[in-house]
Amino acid sequence: SGYLTFVEGNLVTWRSRKQKVVARSSAEAEFRGMANGLCELLWIKYVLKDLGIECTRPMNLFCDNKTTIQIAQNPVQHDQKHVEIDRHFIKDKLDQKITHFPFVKSESQLGDVFTKAVSRKVFHEMIDKLGMIDIYAPP
């Protein structure tokens, strides 16, 4: 799983790690990733609040899996018990309007650069979007 967290367009945290449990479906893997990313967003929201910066708009958690977004938004639609806990947590934050899940195409999903093999072209496009530079490159 991997995610990146941006505040006002600036990358502030990122994480990439192997999931502790083997997922039975891609939806389960996505839910685990979404739940971890959502926890990070909530933590950042509380840090900003402690600094006197109130976050009133829903936070974006971009997802590249339409099925996972639909299951998160529609509790009647799912019947997989193994995603139940993450789904309830995510649905609760959706209902509270703390977050929402805009769809992003897989080739535009910046977190993939940390979790998947991507082509050289895609890799360089993603690190450019992340604002990463080679500090050892000649001037």
Side-chain angles (χ1 to χ4, degrees), residues 113 117-128:
V113 75
V118 294
S119 70
R120 183 180 182 95
K121 179 183 178 228
V122 170
F123 176 77
H124 286 289
E125 287 173 2
M126 287 185 173
I127 63 170
D128 284 343

Side-chain angles (χ1 to χ4, degrees), residues 1-5 14-19 29-30 32-34 36-37 61-62 109-116:
S1 294
Y3 57 84
L4 302 108
T5 315
W14 64 271
R15 182 166 196 154
S16 175
R17 70 176 177 186
K18 187 176 176 181
Q19 289 187 354
E30 288 287 340
R32 288 220 171 106
M34 288 173 79
N36 290 334
L61 199 154
F62 294 95
Q109 182 63 287
L110 294 176
D112 285 355
V113 75
F114 296 114
T115 61
K116 298 178 183 175

Side-chain angles (χ1 to χ4, degrees), residues 18-62:
K18 187 176 176 181
Q19 289 187 354
K20 296 176 183 175
V21 180
V22 175
R24 294 188 216 170
S25 68
S26 61
E28 180 181 4
E30 288 287 340
F31 269 107
R32 288 220 171 106
M34 288 173 79
N36 290 334
L38 186 53
C39 287
E40 184 79 4
L41 286 175
L42 292 171
W43 176 76
I44 288 173
K45 181 177 180 165
Y46 295 131
V47 168
L48 290 173
K49 186 175 181 179
D50 287 346
L51 295 171
I53 302 167
E54 197 69 36
C55 179
T56 57
R57 296 179 301 181
M59 299 174 291
N60 290 328
L61 199 154
F62 294 95

Side-chain angles (χ1 to χ4, degrees), residues 1 9 20 54 63 67 89 91 104 106 110 118:
S1 294
K20 296 176 183 175
E54 197 69 36
C63 180
T67 302
F89 171 67
K91 178 71 170 127
V104 62
S106 291
L110 294 176
V118 294

Side-chain angles (χ1 to χ4, degrees), residues 48-112:
L48 290 173
K49 186 175 181 179
D50 287 346
L51 295 171
I53 302 167
E54 197 69 36
C55 179
T56 57
R57 296 179 301 181
M59 299 174 291
N60 290 328
L61 199 154
F62 294 95
C63 180
D64 62 356
N65 188 309
K66 289 181 181 180
T67 302
T68 302
I69 294 171
Q70 290 170 348
I71 293 171
Q73 295 172 337
N74 185 359
V76 178
Q77 186 177 12
H78 92 99
D79 62 351
Q80 298 172 324
K81 298 297 180 200
H82 53 278
V83 299
E84 192 73 20
I85 294 171
D86 288 335
R87 195 201 60 77
H88 279 294
F89 171 67
I90 292 166
K91 178 71 170 127
D92 182 49
K93 300 310 174 198
L94 276 170
D95 291 345
Q96 293 175 26
K97 301 206 184 310
I98 291 174
T99 189
H100 64 280
F101 303 116
F103 175 75
V104 62
K105 291 189 270 183
S106 291
E107 53 271 9
S108 300
Q109 182 63 287
L110 294 176
D112 285 355

